[in-house]
Amino acid sequence: MIRVVLPAHLRILARAEAEVQLEVTGPVTQRSVLDALEARYPMLEGTIRGHDGGPRRAFIRFFACEQDLSHEPPDDPLPSPVAAGTEPYLIVGAMAGG
């Protein structure tokens, strides 16, 4: 099982806990994790990335194993601790302002 930590605004929208566990078939990549997340919580479709599964939204960031994966290719394998379920994949709402 893949562990995914959601930011508060997406937790509320999905009516989910802070951390959800997902079954991902095939290679564990950012794309496969987000596909599984949107399949389980269809109300999140279009909130993390484009409605067509396109690039991530501007104020969403992805982290795993203390690494910022936001600009990594979506089909690159996630770190092995994430694939093993020992470390979570973090979806973070970025902050902006002045």
Side-chain angles (χ1 to χ4, degrees):
M1 293 297 246
I2 306 302
R3 298 167 46 209
V4 178
V5 176
L6 297 171
H9 69 286
L10 295 180
R11 262 184 260 154
I12 292 167
L13 182 63
R15 295 187 175 139
E17 297 295 321
E19 183 176 297
V20 298
Q21 294 188 358
L22 303 170
E23 186 72 37
V24 174
T25 56
V28 179
T29 65
Q30 291 190 78
R31 185 183 314 275
S32 65
V33 169
L34 294 175
D35 287 347
L37 183 67
E38 290 174 350
R40 184 165 172 195
Y41 300 100
M43 67 285 291
L44 295 180
E45 191 173 324
T47 62
I48 299 169
R49 57 188 178 163
H51 285 282
D52 60 352
R56 71 176 170 83
R57 296 285 182 201
F59 291 102
I60 296 287
R61 304 294 296 233
F62 305 126
F63 292 88
C65 301
E66 299 182 18
Q67 299 174 12
D68 184 350
L69 304 175
S70 303
H71 298 289
E72 298 298 317
D75 293 317
D76 280 2
L78 288 174
S80 56
V82 174
T86 57
E87 289 289 327
Y89 177 71
L90 301 149
I91 300 173
V92 178
M95 297 190 58

